């Protein structure tokens, strides 16, 4: 009886004739698979992110290379102090969380490529044994052809949704950087005014103590002066701590933690800007907010996924079989179909229907949050502007107060105590004015983000 080893030359010869025949018959299908796979390309990339943020905020995010090291663009000069514009640029270039979020787009685009790929055909060869001839089959999933459009469209939409969410995170980073910068400016000013208040109130306490020793005032009045001086020192300690915390937050958000030099802030004067009516701002927000667009796309994604699940009800496998007998090769097509008798994929279809409803409600949630954010930011900015203008309307008159009080004291018209008390109140006024300016800057940052595009 002939063994397998004895048949090796014959088997090898038959395989060499059979395999090319199978591939010749299936070459058209394989080419179709390759063409379909190559048609998928990523529409949304980091350039899209950068251009979108540039359009909505006038800031650039074009970081170069893949290094995680600190990058300082040519537009940023750390030697003359850090401005608000420079802080935002540095944050968009170096904020670790934002750079990590950008990777989500690469992951979504990788899923898009996978969605466009069709499963490889499966080639099976059965070697001849005994009287059985050499046989081979080529199996290919035909159902993948009608399922592929659902997969690709879903992946495209998911890539777009991811890109829109990243743009929104970039705008959120701009808002948070502006707020951190404004808080740093305010904390620095509070720290400076705190030192002035300590000096003024200490001198006032000394005068009052002497008046008490001379019997000119009561012990209760003297105790109040000492208490006021102690409160000033406590305020100064809190101001120093607040300045340190605000600076740490600004450094963290801009990625400047690796810079050893002590950076100052080159704050500039901000003035109120005219804003559109609330209804116009809401209409703009509904059009421009990228997270609202992403929530709307999420509904469409679920719809495509529902179609995908419905396309799985019937599975179809194409079969191309070949065998060699008596020196002749016989090739014939066939198919294998999964009959939907017991399983109609009803569970997954019901799940996707529920997810569509959930996505629709989630869109309503996002839209209502956008409405709330615009309303809050609009009112907050208007209040900040009113407070700022209130302080500014008295600023010119108040700026002359220290000089007037000094001249009155030198002329003997007022006491030294009155002169110091006037300076203390002027210091408090200036601190409130700085606080109003910072509140206006923070309100501006919140309003721009709430509307979804630069308004101020």
């Amino acid at each position: 009886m002939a063994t397998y080893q004895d048949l090796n030359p014959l088997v090898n010869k038959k395989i060499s004739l059979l395999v090319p025949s199978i591939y010749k018959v299936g070459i058209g299908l394989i080419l179709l698979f390759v063409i379909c796979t190559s048609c998928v390309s990523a529409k949304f990339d980091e350039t899209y992110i950068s251009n979108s943020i540039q359009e909505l905020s006038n800031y650039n995010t074009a970081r170069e290379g893949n290094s995680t090291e600190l990058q300082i663009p040519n537009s940023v000069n750390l030697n003359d102090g850090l401005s608000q514009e420079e802080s935002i640029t540095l944050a968009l270039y170096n904020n670790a969380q934002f750079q990590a979020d950008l990777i989500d787009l690469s992951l979504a685009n990788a899923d898009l490529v996978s969605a466009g790929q069709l499963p490889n055909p499966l080639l099976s060869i059965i070697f001849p044994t005994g009287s059985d001839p050499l046989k081979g089959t080529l199996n290919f999933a035909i159902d993948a052809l009608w399922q592929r459009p659902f997969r690709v469209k879903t992946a495209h939409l998911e890539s777009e949704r991811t890109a829109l969410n990243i743009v929104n995170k970039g705008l959120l980073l701009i808002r948070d950087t502006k707020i951190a910068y404004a808080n740093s400016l305010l904390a620095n000013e509070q720290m400076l005014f705190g030192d002035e208040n300590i000096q003024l109130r200490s001198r006032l306490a000394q005068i009052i103590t002497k008046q008490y020793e001379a019997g000119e005032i009561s012990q209760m009045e003297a105790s109040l002066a000492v208490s006021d001086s102690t409160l000033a020192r406590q305020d100064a300690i809190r101001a120093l701590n607040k300045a340190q915390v605000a600076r740490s937050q600004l450094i963290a958000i801009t990625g400047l933690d690796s810079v050893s030099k002590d950076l100052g802030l080159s704050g500039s004067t901000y003035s109120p800007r005219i804003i559109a009516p609330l209804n116009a701002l809401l209409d703009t927000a509904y059009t421009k907010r990228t997270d609202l667009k992403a929530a709307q796309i999420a509904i469409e994604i679920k719809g495509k996924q529902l179609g995908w699940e419905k396309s799985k009800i019937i599975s179809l496998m194409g079969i191309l079989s070949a065998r060699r007998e008596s020196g002749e090769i016989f090739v014939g097509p066939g198919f294998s179909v999964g009959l939907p008798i017991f399983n109609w994929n009803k569970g997954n279809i019901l799940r996707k229907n529920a997810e569509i409803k959930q996505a629709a409600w989630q869109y309503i949630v996002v839209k209502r949050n956008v409405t709330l954010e615009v309303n809050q930011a609009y009112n907050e900015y208007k209040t900040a502007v009113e407070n700022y203008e209130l302080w500014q309307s008295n600023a010119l008159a108040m700026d002359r107060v220290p000089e007037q009080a000094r001249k009155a004291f030198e002329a003997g018209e007022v006491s030294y105590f009155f002169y110091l008390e006037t300076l203390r109140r002027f210091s408090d006024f200036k601190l409130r004015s700085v606080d109003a300016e910072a509140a206006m800057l923070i309100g501006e940052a919140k309003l721009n983000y709430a509307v979804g595009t630069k308004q101020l």
Side-chain angles (χ1 to χ4, degrees), residues 256-290:
L256 289 175
D257 48 310
S258 61
V259 177
S260 58
K261 64 169 62 179
D262 187 17
L263 295 174
L265 302 181
S266 58
S268 57
T269 302
Y270 297 92
S271 57
R273 296 176 174 86
I274 298 175
I275 58 175
L278 178 58
N279 289 336
L281 293 176
L282 286 170
D283 291 338
T284 303
Y286 297 149
T287 304
K288 295 293 186 180
R289 280 288 291 260
T290 54

Side-chain angles (χ1 to χ4, degrees), residues 57-82:
S57 67
N58 294 334
Y59 292 105
N60 185 25
T61 65
R63 180 183 174 92
E64 298 178 358
N66 296 319
S67 173
T68 58
E69 298 296 325
L70 175 69
Q71 287 191 13
I72 300 179
N74 295 330
S75 60
V76 176
N77 182 12
L78 298 180
N79 295 323
D80 60 353
L82 191 64

Side-chain angles (χ1 to χ4, degrees), residues 10 14 17 131-134 323-330:
L10 179 60
K14 290 181 177 181
L17 294 173
S131 59
D132 291 337
L134 178 67
R323 72 182 187 276
R324 181 178 176 82
E325 292 185 23
S326 302
E328 295 185 30
I329 297 177
F330 300 92

Side-chain angles (χ1 to χ4, degrees), residues 18 22 124-128 132-137 322-324:
L18 180 60
I22 296 176
S124 302
I125 295 178
I126 302 175
F127 295 106
D132 291 337
L134 178 67
K135 294 183 293 186
T137 58
R323 72 182 187 276
R324 181 178 176 82

Side-chain angles (χ1 to χ4, degrees), residues 242-435:
K242 186 177 180 180
Q244 292 172 341
V245 171
R247 174 182 170 77
S248 298
Q249 290 175 340
L250 182 61
I251 288 176
I253 203 170
T254 55
L256 289 175
D257 48 310
S258 61
V259 177
S260 58
K261 64 169 62 179
D262 187 17
L263 295 174
L265 302 181
S266 58
S268 57
T269 302
Y270 297 92
S271 57
R273 296 176 174 86
I274 298 175
I275 58 175
L278 178 58
N279 289 336
L281 293 176
L282 286 170
D283 291 338
T284 303
Y286 297 149
T287 304
K288 295 293 186 180
R289 280 288 291 260
T290 54
D291 55 340
L292 187 60
K293 293 179 182 178
Q296 190 172 13
I297 290 175
I299 302 174
E300 192 175 353
I301 290 175
K302 297 303 179 182
K304 295 298 179 183
Q305 289 176 345
L306 174 62
W308 185 7
E309 294 298 337
K310 289 181 178 179
S311 71
K312 295 179 181 179
I313 294 177
I314 296 179
S315 61
L316 182 62
M317 181 72 71
I319 302 173
L320 185 65
S321 64
R323 72 182 187 276
R324 181 178 176 82
E325 292 185 23
S326 302
E328 295 185 30
I329 297 177
F330 300 92
V331 178
F335 66 90
S336 174
V337 60
L339 299 177
I341 298 176
F342 304 110
N343 184 358
W344 283 74
N345 201 25
K346 189 174 182 180
N348 288 332
I349 292 174
L350 289 174
R351 169 178 283 274
K352 291 307 173 184
N353 276 311
E355 289 179 356
I356 290 175
K357 295 178 182 178
Q358 186 181 50
W361 280 109
Q362 189 61 40
Y363 172 79
I364 295 174
V365 170
V366 175
K367 188 172 183 179
R368 287 176 178 173
N369 286 338
V370 168
T371 304
L372 179 61
E373 288 177 5
V374 172
N375 275 280
Q376 289 179 335
Y378 177 82
N379 291 317
E380 186 174 336
Y381 182 74
K382 282 193 65 178
T383 301
V385 169
E386 290 173 1
N387 287 333
Y388 176 81
E389 291 177 341
L390 178 62
W391 291 108
Q392 286 297 110
S393 63
N394 297 316
L396 185 60
M398 287 298 296
D399 285 342
R400 296 194 294 264
V401 167
E403 182 65 17
Q404 291 172 346
R406 183 186 65 80
K407 290 180 178 179
F409 169 70
E410 290 176 350
E413 297 175 0
V414 297
S415 65
Y416 185 57
F417 176 83
F418 179 84
Y419 171 56
L420 293 179
E421 178 65 15
T422 301
L423 293 181
R424 184 185 69 81
R425 292 191 177 187
F426 175 75
S427 178
D428 289 341
F429 173 85
K430 294 296 292 184
L431 182 58
R432 292 289 187 92
S433 178
V434 171
D435 183 67

Side-chain angles (χ1 to χ4, degrees), residues 39-199:
C39 289
V40 178
S41 60
K43 180 180 177 181
F44 303 95
D45 53 15
E46 290 192 12
T47 300
Y48 171 85
I49 301 294
S50 180
N51 292 340
S52 297
I53 293 179
Q54 178 83 30
E55 178 185 350
L56 295 172
S57 67
N58 294 334
Y59 292 105
N60 185 25
T61 65
R63 180 183 174 92
E64 298 178 358
N66 296 319
S67 173
T68 58
E69 298 296 325
L70 175 69
Q71 287 191 13
I72 300 179
N74 295 330
S75 60
V76 176
N77 182 12
L78 298 180
N79 295 323
D80 60 353
L82 191 64
S83 68
Q84 177 188 260
E85 303 297 314
E86 291 173 331
S87 298
I88 294 171
T89 300
L90 287 169
L92 290 172
Y93 270 66
N94 300 293
N95 184 269
Q97 184 58 59
F98 181 63
Q99 295 302 319
D101 291 334
L102 283 172
I103 306 300
D104 288 340
L105 186 56
S106 298
L107 299 176
N109 288 335
D111 292 339
L112 173 59
V113 173
S114 298
Q117 292 178 328
L118 296 172
N120 293 320
L122 178 62
L123 175 63
S124 302
I125 295 178
I126 302 175
F127 295 106
T129 56
S131 59
D132 291 337
L134 178 67
K135 294 183 293 186
T137 58
L138 186 66
N139 299 277
F140 46 91
I142 297 179
D143 54 3
L145 294 176
W146 66 69
Q147 291 179 15
R148 180 181 179 276
F150 294 105
R151 296 199 312 269
V152 172
K153 184 59 177 178
T154 299
H156 263 300
L157 291 171
E158 187 62 38
S159 178
E160 182 179 4
R161 189 185 70 85
T162 301
L164 290 171
N165 281 331
I166 293 175
V167 171
N168 183 68
K169 290 178 180 179
L171 298 177
L172 186 61
L173 176 61
I174 293 173
R175 184 201 70 177
D176 292 345
T177 305
K178 285 184 176 181
I179 293 175
Y181 189 86
N183 286 334
S184 295
L185 282 177
L186 177 60
N188 288 344
E189 293 293 332
Q190 288 175 334
M191 185 173 60
L192 294 176
F193 284 121
D195 293 337
E196 292 181 6
N197 272 330
I198 287 178
Q199 296 176 9

